[in-house]
């Protein structure tokens, strides 16, 4: 059953809010805890559908995974190489991260795993992981175009590889490094553009040897040594900067607003949006910078701001790949033109986000266009008309982005189905309405 919502113009946003735990880090905490010997504890876990699917999958692979309290979880791992064959297929729901990282995990275990997901995940490209994992010895049977459902026959004679990523993708990088854990020798991934490094940071924290060597041409060589003894850890998950992006941009756009978002992850490979918004003139303060569980965090104070259009370089895309829809919404309110370069990867996310963002903005009366992989938004410095109903197409970030647009546009904005929001941001509507937004059922 679909869950339509409508977002009406808000007077102002104010107060403090705690956004949920980081999705990327939550998936990894469960996976690495399941591989470590002994007990791991996780605090602040994102309890969205994507991550709950990963928890269920790790259980099916033999780990003990127990929810103790809100966001507080206990795991008892199997040790590297100790996963066992799941007796049913793994359904990763909407989650590309869950599916792709898990493929890496089981690729070097000698058993067969069947993968599936929702209509969105079943339409996403998996060749980007099956290709390098096949070189390590795994075998795949997929639907046409490398799509799920797929069967993965893991290998008992894994071969270490050195692999240069053809696309900037932390999921592909992570899948190969995770397969490398149960592989003799050294498995190396070369990335030309740095992508989020939560796998490297957390694997090291669990006891693996992971080296990162910058190359002269700016690329990085990331190497994991096989058969590490991973031991149980205590992981504190910071609040997700990709989720904080929605209330933050809302506070910039709604007049007379000032909000505080506590404990937001500030990993420099994730903060491209905040850098871009600062260049556009956003008033965002960073208070109490600190390190929690090996990740940088800070409290954000965001005030209504007059924004100007800018050029966003393609090199920045990996550090803000999930944030372009909400950046495009901010650009729709800015004075002048914003050009976002190098967005090819946006077409293969939970939906074709490039098309969904462009069409949604146009439906809301914003002048926007595409030139190849560049998204161009012409802001007038005044609120756009709004007044549209946006087709979400199982994409949580499209739903939240357009609900934010409706908080400050002339006419309300509706989304046809906000069910997908729960994959990454359970409680989004209550949190936003608690700050002063007016989101309701139509
Ligand atoms: C993620 C990597 C990114 C991002 C996704 C989470 C991760 O995907 O879009 O939401 O946790 O590694 P790609 O690796 O496909 O760029």
């Amino acid at each position: 059953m679909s869950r339509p919502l409508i977002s009406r113009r808000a007077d102002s946003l104010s107060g403090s809010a705690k956004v949920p735990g980081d999705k990327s880090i939550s998936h990894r905490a469960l996976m690495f805890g399941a591989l470590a010997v002994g007990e791991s504890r996780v605090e602040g876990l994102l309890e969205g559908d994507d991550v709950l699917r990963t928890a269920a999958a790790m259980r099916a692979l033999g780990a003990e995974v127990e929810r103790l309290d809100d966001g507080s979880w206990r795991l008892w791992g199997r040790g590297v190489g100790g996963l066992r064959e799941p007796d049913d297929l793994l359904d990763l729901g909407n989650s590309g991260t869950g599916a792709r990282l898990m493929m890496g995990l089981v690729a070097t275990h000698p058993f067969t795993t069947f993968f599936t997901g929702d209509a969105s995940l079943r339409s996403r490209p998996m060749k980007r992981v099956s290709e390098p994992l096949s070189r390590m010895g795994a075998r795949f049977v997929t639907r046409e175009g490398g799509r799920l459902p797929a069967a993965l026959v893991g290998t008992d004679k894994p071969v270490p590889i050195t692999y240069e990523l053809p696309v900037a993708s932390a999921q592909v990088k992570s899948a190969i490094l995770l397969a490398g854990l149960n592989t003799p020798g050294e498995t190396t991934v070369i990335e030309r553009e740095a992508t989020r490094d939560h796998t490297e940071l957390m694997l090291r924290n669990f006891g693996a040897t992971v080296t990162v060597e910058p190359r002269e041409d700016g690329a990085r060589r990331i190497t994991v040594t096989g058969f590490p003894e991973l031991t149980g850890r205590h992981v504190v998950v910071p609040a997700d900067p990709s989720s904080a992006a929605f209330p933050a941009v809302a506070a910039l756009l709604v007049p007379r607003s000032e909000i505080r978002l506590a404990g937001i992850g500030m990993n420099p490979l994730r903060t491209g949006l905040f850098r871009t918004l600062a260049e556009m003139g956003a008033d965002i303060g960073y208070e109490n910078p600190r390190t929690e569980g090996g990740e940088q965090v800070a409290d954000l104070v965001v005030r209504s701001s007059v924004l100007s259009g800018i050029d966003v370089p393609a090199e920045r895309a990996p550090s803000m790949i999930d944030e372009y829809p909400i950046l495009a919404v901010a650009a729709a309110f800015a004075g002048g033109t914003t050009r976002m370069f190098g967005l090819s990867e946006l077409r293969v996310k939970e939906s074709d986000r490039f098309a969904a963002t462009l069409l949604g903005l146009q439906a809301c009366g914003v002048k926007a266009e595409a030139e190849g992989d560049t998204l161009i938004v012409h802001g007038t410095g005044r609120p756009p008309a709004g007044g549209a109903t946006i087709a979400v197409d199982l994409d949580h970030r499209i739903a939240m982005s357009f609900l934010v647009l409706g908080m400050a546009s002339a006419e309300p904005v509706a989304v046809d189905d906000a069910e997908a929001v729960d994959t990454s941001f359970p409680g989004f509507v209550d949190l936003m309405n608690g700050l002063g937004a007016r989101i309701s059922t139509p």
Side-chain angles (χ1 to χ4, degrees):
M1 223 180 53
S2 64
R3 196 187 341 145
L5 286 176
I6 190 160
S7 177
R8 298 186 163 78
R9 202 180 172 102
D11 286 338
S12 69
L13 301 181
S14 62
S16 301
K18 182 93 185 91
V19 308
D22 189 278
K23 183 153 71 70
S24 294
I25 296 177
S26 294
H27 282 295
R28 288 161 173 82
L30 293 175
M31 291 182 193
F32 302 173
L35 281 190
V37 173
E39 183 177 294
S40 286
R41 293 288 283 268
V42 187
E43 308 299 335
L45 189 86
L46 166 64
E47 293 177 336
D49 190 62
D50 275 15
V51 175
L52 297 178
R53 301 265 179 172
T54 288
M58 296 324 298
R59 254 184 226 122
L61 288 161
E64 269 179 48
V65 184
E66 187 190 357
R67 181 178 189 270
L68 303 175
D69 202 350
D70 278 358
S72 173
W73 290 61
R74 191 188 75 92
L75 292 111
W76 195 263
R78 307 273 303 180
V80 169
L83 299 178
R84 62 144 207 250
E85 181 173 278
D87 61 13
D88 200 350
L89 42 80
L90 301 184
D91 182 348
L92 280 319
N94 192 249
S95 181
T97 307
R100 295 191 178 122
L101 270 59
M102 205 93 57
M103 285 181 170
L105 276 184
V106 299
T108 50
H109 282 73
F111 55 71
T112 300
T113 311
F114 293 86
F115 288 90
T116 191
D118 70 5
S120 156
L121 187 58
R122 292 196 311 273
S123 73
R124 297 181 66 184
M126 293 295 156
K127 265 196 191 136
R128 49 180 63 199
V129 281
S130 63
E131 206 273 318
L133 295 176
S134 300
R135 292 197 200 183
M136 297 181 79
R139 285 184 295 126
F140 287 79
V141 181
T142 67
R143 279 199 310 137
E144 220 229 301
R147 308 202 188 247
L148 299 186
L152 192 173
V153 184
T155 174
D156 61 352
K157 292 192 185 56
V159 182
I161 58 169
T162 295
Y163 190 76
E164 181 155 343
L165 295 180
V167 284
S169 166
Q171 292 177 357
V172 179
K173 168 177 68 175
S174 301
I176 298 166
L177 294 176
L178 296 183
L181 289 174
N182 200 34
T183 299
E186 293 187 334
T187 298
T188 299
V189 178
I190 298 166
E191 54 178 15
R192 262 170 279 149
E193 297 157 286
T195 65
R196 65 189 69 194
D197 60 356
H198 306 299
T199 296
E200 296 90 307
L201 294 178
M202 202 188 293
L203 269 184
R204 258 195 219 130
N205 190 35
F206 272 83
T209 303
V210 182
T211 58
V212 181
E213 290 166 52
R215 272 194 342 195
E216 266 176 19
D217 59 358
R220 291 144 51 103
R221 274 180 73 91
I222 303 148
T223 299
V224 67
T225 305
F227 307 136
E229 171 99 347
L230 304 185
T231 39
R233 284 286 183 271
H234 187 197
V235 180
V236 180
V237 181
D240 197 327
S242 299
S243 296
F246 300 103
V249 169
L252 294 174
L253 302 183
V254 175
R256 298 172 298 279
S257 296
E258 175 170 335
I259 65 164
R260 171 181 286 270
L261 303 168
I264 307 301
M266 287 282 116
N267 180 315
L269 295 171
R270 294 287 300 282
T271 47
L273 173 74
F274 296 115
R275 215 173 321 143
T276 304
L277 290 172
E279 289 171 11
M280 295 172 80
D283 180 354
I284 305 180
Y286 300 89
E287 298 184 353
N288 307 316
R290 55 201 184 272
T291 302
E292 282 176 6
E295 291 277 355
Q296 300 173 40
V297 299
D299 305 332
L300 269 50
V301 180
V302 189
R303 298 182 190 90
S304 320
S305 303
V306 175
L307 303 177
S308 311
I310 58 160
D311 281 357
V312 188
E315 306 83 77
R316 201 174 287 171
S319 69
M320 55 179 297
I321 192 64
D322 292 337
E323 280 67 77
Y324 283 99
I326 190 64
L327 173 65
V329 166
F333 288 77
T337 296
T338 297
R339 287 184 201 82
M340 294 160 259
F341 296 95
L343 301 193
S344 55
E345 277 296 294
L346 227 54
R347 297 186 194 276
V348 290
K349 294 295 175 186
E350 284 82 332
S351 69
D352 177 348
R353 277 188 187 151
F354 192 99
T357 304
L358 178 64
L359 294 176
L361 288 178
Q362 289 171 339
C364 290
V366 178
K367 208 173 147 222
E369 64 202 289
E371 256 175 35
D373 291 335
T374 306
L375 179 61
I376 304 167
V377 178
H378 303 282
T380 60
R382 288 185 306 280
T389 297
I390 306 298
V392 167
D393 201 13
L394 292 177
D395 193 321
H396 51 132
R397 299 200 203 277
I398 293 299
M400 290 187 278
S401 297
F402 283 96
L403 289 170
V404 168
L405 195 150
M407 290 173 204
S409 53
E411 297 296 326
V413 175
V415 297
D416 66 345
D417 185 7
E419 186 79 29
V421 167
D422 290 349
T423 62
S424 70
F425 202 149
F428 171 76
V429 173
D430 287 347
L431 181 145
M432 289 307 316
N433 286 349
L435 294 170
R438 295 167 62 215
I439 305 174
S440 61
T441 46

